[in-house]
Amino acid sequence: MNALQEIANMMNETEKKAFIYYLSKKNKRKDTGNIELFNSLKTDDIKITKNIIKDKKSTDAYHALRKRLYDNMIDFMANRSFENDTSQENAALRLIVVSRLFFEHKLTKTAFKCLAKAEEIALSIEHFSLLNEIYLTQIQFAHFNLSEPIEKIIQKFKSNKKKLEYEEQLNLGYAVLRRELAAIYHEGRIVDFQALIKSTIETNGISLKQGLTFKSLYQILFIANEYASINNNYALIQPFVLKSYRFISRKNDLTDRHLYYHIYILYFIANFYFRNGQFTESLGYLDLMFTELQKQSGKYYQRFCLRYFLLLAFNENYLGRSHKAIEIAEKALSSNKKADPNDSNDIRLMLIVFYIQQNTGRIAVKEMTKLNHTDNWYEKKMGMDWTIKKCLVEILLHAQQENTELALSRIKSFKRRYKKYLLTVDEERVVQYLLFAEQYVMKPEIIQTQKFQEEIEDFIILAQNGPKDIFIMSFLSWLVAKVRRKTIYETTLNLLATYFPSTHSS
């Protein structure tokens, strides 16, 4: 899809009509062709495009027309965004701009009133860069307001400057880390994630003890969440989660003004409790998250809904309500087809796991065919960890369906592609797990031998002594179910009950 088409797809019907009117007002000649070209984007009509090229007599002229249309679309969208932006940030910015205009025309009293109003708004939304501009402007024109001590303004400026510098440091660290993670996923590189996060924090002078805003808390939780995911140990980030809860409790009056970050923080906390087997606590935060998703006319619903349904279904499944979990996941996929593909992939993989646990392999196979990209593609889009889990699920699915050749083929390609990586990042247990699965696929009767059963039980005990992770236990449950001749779902719930003592099925 080209840039023109992408921008056109952003516009609703009202905006498209307004843009055509905008072009007609700008056009000085009737044969400009830009409106005709824009209309062709709506229909994707190749014939119209060819006629435009013919009318313009050369490909160069056509591309020049496209360039002018592109520039006009950018200008239109920029102006419309500014006109329609009723956010408090934009309101404060407008007041700063108009105050400077008033200063130029010697309307000093009105100018200072505008700055005072802008300061009030910026403080309410904790916008330190706007406050920096406000205080600098107040200091610049302080000679017009002798009743206000300049020392007081300077003190506010310095105090805000420290907060701004901390926010900038965190922004830099957050941006560097996200870019590095994206590059790692894209290139499939092997790195020491713990060292990367530590280095990012130290290099950018990030202190996790300083004052928090909704944005900085979101960024810290993102970094902490990545760290916990890398280590498969969410207990490591408990201090951040508790700090988050205390922060939200104190700032309840500001949550609507920072809705995007508030929703994300609630998601991170809900995910933390889920990954630690505290399903009831997780559901409590998901309820709060759902309430926030309804606010401001559901402004962020599409952005977050699949993540909400993902965690909701996971919690319901591991609380023993598997049918409800499957219903939630199926409905989420069918009702939100335009949502982020990455979120859709997450739900689809989860649903396949649920089907495997319920021994409905045929339906699971049907869903697995929809994850039809190459491993390399998924590594770049979803990350190495996700792709490895997807491959393991696929192997278990083929094994369960007794597709021996397919299972062995996937095991062979898995070892060729990921064994070295797993050993490098100290995940020998995944390699060992795959070895057990391979032995079972090649010789199913081995499951009945005492030696194999003892090896599996020893492996489970060893795994339980490591970092607690619900997904690891879900994979282990498949093997344990074979050894103990129980259903996979029953085994999963029983294993989690011993793994997470606070977990209760219902």
Side-chain angles (χ1 to χ4, degrees):
M1 190 183 295
N2 60 53
L4 285 177
Q5 189 72 61
E6 288 173 341
I7 299 172
N9 288 345
M10 284 176 57
M11 298 180 181
N12 57 36
E13 287 305 313
T14 302
E15 287 172 331
K16 286 176 181 177
K17 289 177 182 178
F19 180 61
I20 291 172
Y21 179 74
Y22 171 80
L23 289 177
S24 66
K25 295 287 284 183
K26 286 195 71 174
N27 290 343
K28 295 179 180 179
R29 292 164 44 190
K30 293 183 178 181
D31 62 343
T32 304
N34 51 12
I35 294 176
E36 188 179 8
L37 178 57
F38 179 71
N39 285 329
S40 75
L41 298 175
K42 294 192 288 183
T43 59
D44 198 21
D45 194 327
I46 297 173
K47 289 182 179 179
I48 293 176
T49 303
K50 286 182 177 179
N51 287 337
I52 294 171
I53 296 174
K54 187 177 180 181
D55 290 343
K56 291 297 171 186
K57 298 181 180 179
S58 78
T59 304
D60 289 343
Y62 170 68
H63 285 299
L65 174 62
R66 285 178 61 89
K67 176 65 169 61
R68 289 194 298 274
L69 178 62
Y70 175 79
D71 291 340
N72 281 322
M73 290 173 83
I74 295 292
D75 289 342
F76 172 80
M77 293 299 287
N79 291 333
R80 196 166 182 85
S81 296
F82 194 76
E83 289 169 5
N84 295 338
D85 188 354
T86 58
S87 68
Q88 290 178 298
E89 177 183 349
N90 194 38
L93 185 58
R94 287 171 186 264
L95 286 166
I96 296 170
V97 172
V98 77
S99 73
R100 289 172 178 165
L101 178 66
F102 290 153
F103 278 127
E104 289 175 9
H105 289 79
K106 309 299 183 189
L107 301 174
T108 56
K109 190 174 181 179
T110 307
F112 278 116
K113 282 185 177 180
C114 289
L115 286 177
K117 181 62 177 176
E119 181 184 6
E120 182 184 340
I121 295 171
L123 282 170
S124 72
I125 59 175
E126 297 177 323
H127 203 304
F128 305 127
S129 59
L130 281 179
L131 285 168
N132 190 63
E133 291 300 315
I134 291 165
Y135 296 140
L136 282 174
T137 306
Q138 287 177 341
I139 291 168
Q140 180 183 352
F141 296 100
H143 57 283
F144 287 130
N145 187 17
L146 298 178
S147 62
E148 178 78 15
I150 192 170
E151 292 80 13
K152 182 180 177 181
I153 306 172
I154 292 173
Q155 182 56 43
K156 287 195 292 184
F157 168 77
K158 288 181 177 179
S159 176
N160 181 74
K161 190 73 172 175
K162 289 180 181 178
K163 295 176 183 178
L164 178 59
E165 286 173 354
Y166 171 66
E167 185 176 69
E168 289 170 346
Q169 289 168 343
L170 193 55
N171 285 342
L172 287 172
Y174 172 76
V176 168
L177 183 63
R178 291 214 69 162
R179 182 178 174 84
E180 187 64 22
L181 288 172
I184 290 164
Y185 292 156
H186 181 74
E187 299 165 15
R189 286 191 280 116
I190 298 170
V191 299
D192 184 337
F193 281 118
Q194 295 184 40
L196 171 62
I197 291 174
K198 184 180 179 183
S199 172
T200 302
I201 290 173
E202 290 176 352
T203 302
N204 292 282
I206 297 171
S207 169
L208 303 183
K209 295 180 181 180
Q210 292 195 31
L212 292 172
T213 64
F214 276 87
K215 181 180 179 182
S216 64
L217 177 58
Y218 154 74
Q219 291 172 324
I220 289 170
L221 280 175
F222 173 84
I223 294 171
N225 195 69
E226 287 293 321
Y227 183 72
S229 178
I230 290 157
N231 290 275
N232 288 315
N233 187 354
Y234 276 74
L236 291 171
I237 65 171
Q238 186 170 352
F240 298 117
V241 175
L242 295 176
K243 192 173 186 178
S244 304
Y245 176 76
R246 289 196 297 269
F247 174 82
I248 290 175
S249 299
R250 291 197 307 268
K251 300 273 189 174
N252 195 48
D253 57 322
L254 298 179
T255 54
D256 288 355
R257 298 174 185 175
H258 302 272
L259 187 59
Y260 176 85
Y261 296 117
H262 185 208
I263 292 170
Y264 234 130
I265 289 165
L266 291 172
Y267 168 76
F268 278 136
I269 297 176
N271 184 58
F272 163 80
Y273 281 114
F274 163 68
R275 294 296 290 266
N276 276 296
Q278 295 171 278
F279 307 128
T280 303
E281 290 84 350
S282 181
L283 285 174
Y285 279 98
L286 285 175
D287 285 343
L288 294 174
M289 180 180 175
F290 189 76
T291 299
E292 299 305 309
L293 287 175
Q294 310 306 311
K295 291 183 177 179
Q296 297 180 16
S297 302
K299 182 178 180 180
Y300 296 113
Y301 183 83
Q302 283 299 321
R303 174 70 179 81
F304 289 101
C305 67
L306 284 191
R307 295 190 179 203
Y308 164 79
F309 289 124
L310 179 79
L311 278 185
L312 182 64
F314 264 135
N315 279 294
E316 294 291 352
N317 185 65
Y318 291 112
L319 277 168
R321 301 189 281 261
S322 58
H323 295 299
K324 186 176 181 180
I326 289 172
E327 183 182 335
I328 290 168
E330 289 176 339
K331 187 176 179 180
L333 280 177
S334 62
S335 304
N336 299 280
K337 293 181 180 179
K338 292 184 179 181
D340 188 328
N342 286 17
D343 293 339
S344 299
N345 289 336
D346 278 335
I347 287 200
R348 178 156 282 115
L349 186 60
M350 173 188 68
L351 189 55
I352 292 167
V353 171
F354 291 173
Y355 288 144
I356 292 174
Q357 289 176 343
Q358 298 303 320
N359 201 28
T360 50
R362 288 186 179 180
I363 307 176
V365 169
K366 185 178 178 181
E367 285 299 319
M368 184 60 81
T369 59
K370 296 174 184 177
L371 297 174
N372 52 12
H373 292 288
T374 64
D375 290 345
N376 184 57
W377 189 91
Y378 283 117
E379 286 168 18
K380 292 177 180 178
K381 295 291 183 180
M382 303 296 297
M384 188 74 79
D385 185 54
W386 189 94
T387 309
I388 286 172
K389 287 175 183 172
K390 180 254 181 189
C391 291
L392 287 173
V393 169
E394 189 175 4
I395 289 167
L396 299 188
L397 177 57
H398 286 314
Q400 189 162 320
Q401 293 300 104
E402 298 181 354
N403 297 327
T404 305
E405 290 186 10
L406 279 173
L408 291 175
S409 174
R410 289 301 285 145
I411 289 170
K412 184 179 179 180
S413 64
F414 183 94
K415 288 194 292 187
R416 184 172 59 248
R417 190 172 187 88
Y418 300 117
K419 184 177 179 179
K420 184 178 178 181
Y421 167 80
L422 289 166
L423 293 174
T424 304
V425 296
D426 296 324
E427 278 293 354
E428 294 90 346
R429 59 183 171 176
V430 178
V431 178
Q432 181 61 51
Y433 178 86
L434 193 67
L435 177 61
F436 286 135
E438 185 177 21
Q439 289 174 328
Y440 171 75
V441 171
M442 293 179 67
K443 193 177 179 182
E445 60 270 22
I446 197 175
I447 206 77
Q448 300 174 14
T449 67
Q450 185 176 351
K451 182 183 177 184
F452 189 77
Q453 290 176 1
E454 289 175 353
E455 286 177 346
I456 296 294
E457 295 291 352
D458 289 343
F459 180 66
I460 299 301
I461 293 170
L462 188 64
Q464 285 179 309
N465 290 333
K468 292 186 176 183
D469 184 78
I470 198 167
F471 294 143
I472 291 173
M473 296 312 297
S474 297
F475 278 110
L476 293 175
S477 297
W478 187 86
L479 271 179
V480 177
K482 300 298 179 186
V483 169
R484 298 178 184 175
R485 298 182 184 180
K486 302 284 186 179
T487 65
I488 298 170
Y489 188 58
E490 179 189 2
T491 304
T492 301
L493 296 184
N494 289 337
L495 206 58
L496 288 175
T498 59
Y499 193 55
F500 297 108
S502 61
T503 301
H504 299 286
S505 298
S506 60

